[in-house]
Amino acid sequence: MPPTRRPFGGLWLAALTVTAFALQTDDFVIAGVLPSIARGLSVGEAAAGQLVTVFSVICAAVAPAAAVAAGPCSPRTVLTWGMLLFCAANLAVPLVPSYPVLLVLRVVAALAAALSLPAVFSAAATLSPPDRRGRHLATVTAGLTGAVVAGVPLGTWIGAAAGWRATFLAGGVLGAVALAFLRATLPDVPPPPPAGLGERLRPLAAPAVLRALLAAAVAVLGNMMIQTYLAPLLHGLAGVTPSGLGLLLTLTGLAGIAGARLSGTLVDRIGPQRSFGLAAPAFALAMAGLAMCWPARPVHLAVVVPLLLVWSAAAWSVPPAVQARVLALTGPEVGPQALALSSSAVYLGASLGAGLGGWAIGSLGPGALPIIAGACFLAGIAFFGLPGRSTSPTPDRDAENHHADL
């Protein structure tokens, strides 16, 4: 159904992107201030690291249930309450007296993110014209990538300059800015018609939907193996130092933003299956290049950097394709629940990728990471579904080719 009002033109898309940026920064920024948290609360770094694990696990486990519970509400209402909870959890951190209290606040922030992030993508998909849905989803995805490029370094700098508590305070302020932006610009969208729980969940059990979610989990697993252990891989390949790694992370982050934007355009023009079918081989080729460089190490950065740029662009081009595919298969009535499952698949893949990457480094060495990661992306093609014969550019027509799966 069309929105009842559309203030400030298309600024609602910018508001959704800022919201995604705030949520993702809050998730990732702990890595930059983790030693300071450990010292400040007199706990080990391993215990402080559990703040990251708890956030990811809760987001993966709670997002689908939260989306089902919020199903009768409009995205604007869901985002208002979710971001209020997010702001409260971060703004309260300066008052934290101990590690257990901080852990509770991180649980609250994770619950807010599990509620809000699927609603962000649902609102973007609902308000977008069908022929621009992929590009609008890619714009919001660029907010997630921007958190890696700008949000995390900025939060780390704030923590170094004013203490780790100030990092969370800044996150709460950023969340408040996003909330005000949303309230001012996001149109009202009538909630979906009433439906029973079973009726809302039935489309999510379709084989094609489950395969798309599994493809997302496998692809993210492969990507996080490289992302998490990029430092030892690049040090072994080209002798990259921590200072040089920072510059490379910035470059790969910018490539990721470009990849997400390109993916959105491709989703609108050739459909999500074909878009994914282009991204996965590109990722695998970049991994093959890194794997072939390993026996010849040390390798000049002029060889390594182009491979890293292709890797990042291909990896970040996956979310718009997956989201558009899942939405096309399930329909707008269960969009929030479908996108919540997509978020869970991403968090699950991220958790498994970090663990599998650690095992691979310990057992096989860093040179094995690109081989396993590339194989994961190629497996994702099989789960996602090979491109059909239709040349229709719209995601909805792409779904019709697979209607039999439903």
Side-chain angles (χ1 to χ4, degrees), residues 298-313:
V299 181
H300 198 278
L301 279 177
V303 176
V304 175
V305 170
L307 295 173
L308 294 178
L309 297 180
V310 173
W311 153 64
S312 184

Side-chain angles (χ1 to χ4, degrees), residues 16-26 140 143-144 146-148 150-152 174:
L16 293 173
T17 304
V18 171
T19 304
F21 175 85
L23 292 168
Q24 191 79 335
T25 297
D26 189 63
V140 178
L144 304 182
V148 179
V152 173
L174 178 60

Side-chain angles (χ1 to χ4, degrees), residues 65-80:
V68 170
C73 302
S74 70
R76 193 168 189 266
T77 300
V78 173
L79 284 170
T80 296

Side-chain angles (χ1 to χ4, degrees), residues 86-402:
F86 173 84
C87 293
N90 281 279
L91 294 175
V93 168
L95 305 176
V96 164
S98 62
Y99 174 80
V101 177
L102 179 60
L103 185 61
V104 170
L105 289 178
R106 294 312 295 161
V107 169
V108 174
L111 291 173
L115 181 65
S116 300
L117 195 56
V120 166
F121 284 101
S122 175
T126 301
L127 295 169
S128 301
D131 62 342
R132 296 189 64 83
R133 183 173 297 154
R135 274 165 280 194
H136 284 182
L137 289 171
T139 297
V140 178
T141 299
L144 304 182
T145 315
V148 179
V149 177
V152 173
L154 180 59
T156 303
W157 177 83
I158 291 173
W164 62 269
R165 296 174 191 268
T167 297
F168 292 98
L169 182 61
V173 172
L174 178 60
V177 171
L179 175 58
F181 201 3
L182 287 169
R183 294 294 301 177
T185 64
L186 189 65
D188 290 326
V189 179
L197 180 62
E199 186 179 349
R200 292 207 302 269
L201 294 180
R202 191 175 299 114
L204 305 181
V209 176
L210 297 178
R211 287 199 301 269
L213 296 174
L214 184 58
V218 170
V220 172
L221 186 156
N223 180 51
M224 288 305 295
M225 289 181 61
I226 302 298
Q227 186 78 49
T228 305
Y229 299 101
L230 191 61
L233 176 63
L234 292 183
H235 180 73
L237 269 176
V240 175
T241 62
S243 59
L245 181 63
L247 176 59
L248 289 178
L249 287 175
T250 299
L251 292 175
T252 56
L254 293 174
I257 292 175
R261 292 293 300 160
L262 176 60
S263 174
T265 301
L266 291 176
V267 165
D268 290 333
R269 291 182 177 177
I270 64 175
Q273 283 184 287
R274 291 173 178 82
S275 178
F276 188 95
L278 292 174
F283 183 98
L285 286 174
M287 293 300 100
L290 292 175
M292 288 188 291
C293 287
W294 187 257
R297 64 191 187 277
V299 181
H300 198 278
L301 279 177
V303 176
V304 175
V305 170
L307 295 173
L308 294 178
L309 297 180
V310 173
W311 153 64
S312 184
W316 281 100
S317 67
V318 167
V322 170
Q323 291 155 356
R325 172 74 170 148
V326 170
L327 282 171
L329 290 168
T330 58
E333 292 79 8
V334 292
Q337 293 92 327
L339 290 172
L341 282 178
S342 179
S343 295
S344 294
V346 168
Y347 280 112
L348 176 63
S351 300
L352 294 176
L356 182 59
W359 170 84
I361 283 184
S363 302
L364 306 173
L369 293 178
I371 299 174
I372 302 175
C376 287
F377 255 73
L378 291 179
I381 295 181
F383 292 128
F384 201 77
L386 293 173
R389 296 179 180 178
S390 170
T391 58
S392 169
T394 64
D396 291 331
R397 184 70 57 82
D398 194 24
E400 290 173 7
N401 294 335
H402 297 267

